């Protein structure tokens, strides 16, 4: 009997629709990238949560305080997003957000937060699929190693 191993491709498509434009990106899920990008995502997420907590204190923040918070958030998301989909796709998203003219990253935080989340889900799913495959393989080996019941 042939063994069948089903696993996702090393690059997962990610289409970002912005009005009438679609940016076609690919999430890098190669082994060498998954761990590095997961660490970037996790670290960025922790720092963004700290900024969000601080920004709650500045709920009515406007002007320089709000601008700094928006810039800090964009600066935290960029390395994780670029690590997963590449600098070119990141820049294409900024251009699509500006309808042909690039916007500043802090002007596109809502879009980039959604992209960040989709990347995070893809990487978590990849890690989970690998762990599930290893667990299934291990359980199958255990089942095959069980002794035959003793017949009386």
């Amino acid at each position: 009997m042939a063994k069948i191993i089903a696993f996702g491709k090393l690059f997962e498509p990610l289409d970002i629709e912005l009005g009438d434009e679609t940016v076609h990106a690919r999430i890098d899920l190669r082994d060498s990238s998954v761990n590095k990008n997961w660490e970037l995502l996790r670290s960025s997420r922790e720092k963004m949560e700290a900024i969000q907590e601080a920004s709650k204190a500045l709920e009515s923040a406007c002007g320089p305080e709000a601008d700094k918070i928006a810039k800090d958030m964009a600066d935290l998301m960029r390395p994780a997003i670029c690590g997963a989909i590449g600098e070119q796709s990141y820049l294409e998203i900024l251009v699509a957000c500006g309808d042909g003219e690039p916007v500043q990253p802090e002007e596109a935080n809502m879009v980039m937060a959604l992209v960040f989340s989709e990347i995070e889900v893809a990487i978590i799913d990849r890690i989970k699929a690998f762990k599930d495959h290893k667990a299934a393989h291990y359980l199958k080996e255990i089942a095959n190693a069980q002794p035959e019941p003793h017949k009386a």
Side-chain angles (χ1 to χ4, degrees):
M1 182 157 118
K3 280 191 173 188
I4 298 174
I5 299 173
F7 209 65
K9 291 187 175 189
L10 298 181
F11 291 89
E12 183 175 303
L14 176 64
D15 292 338
I16 302 103
E17 293 182 7
L18 298 159
D20 61 351
E21 288 189 60
T22 301
V23 175
H24 303 285
R26 297 180 333 150
I27 302 172
D28 183 352
L29 296 172
R30 293 176 294 171
D31 294 353
S32 60
S33 300
V34 167
N35 289 332
K36 178 183 71 169
N37 289 333
W38 174 246
E39 187 56 36
L40 280 170
L41 287 162
R42 190 186 60 72
S43 174
S44 296
R45 170 75 65 201
E46 289 172 1
K47 292 173 185 169
M48 287 189 312
E49 288 170 357
I51 289 173
Q52 287 172 335
E53 283 300 313
S55 71
K56 285 181 184 174
L58 300 170
E59 196 72 31
S60 60
C62 58
E65 295 95 3
D67 293 345
K68 181 175 178 352
I69 291 168
K71 181 153 179 24
D72 289 349
M73 294 294 271
D75 290 346
L76 284 171
M77 286 188 284
R78 184 179 187 139
I81 293 171
C82 289
I85 66 171
E87 183 79 19
Q88 184 62 37
S89 292
Y90 180 86
L91 295 173
E92 288 175 14
I93 295 168
L94 293 177
V95 170
C97 284
D99 198 23
E101 294 292 322
V103 297
Q104 293 299 313
E106 57 270 20
E107 300 282 329
N109 277 345
M110 286 189 273
V111 171
M112 292 301 185
L114 293 173
V115 172
F116 183 96
S117 293
E118 284 301 314
I119 292 167
E120 195 172 38
V121 166
I123 290 175
I124 289 169
D125 288 349
R126 180 61 158 218
I127 293 168
K128 183 180 179 318
F130 180 72
K131 288 180 178 177
D132 289 349
H133 178 73
K134 280 179 63 175
H137 182 72
Y138 176 73
L139 291 174
K140 186 175 180 182
E141 285 180 3
I142 289 175
N144 290 338
Q146 295 296 318
E148 291 290 321
H150 193 64
K151 296 181 182 176

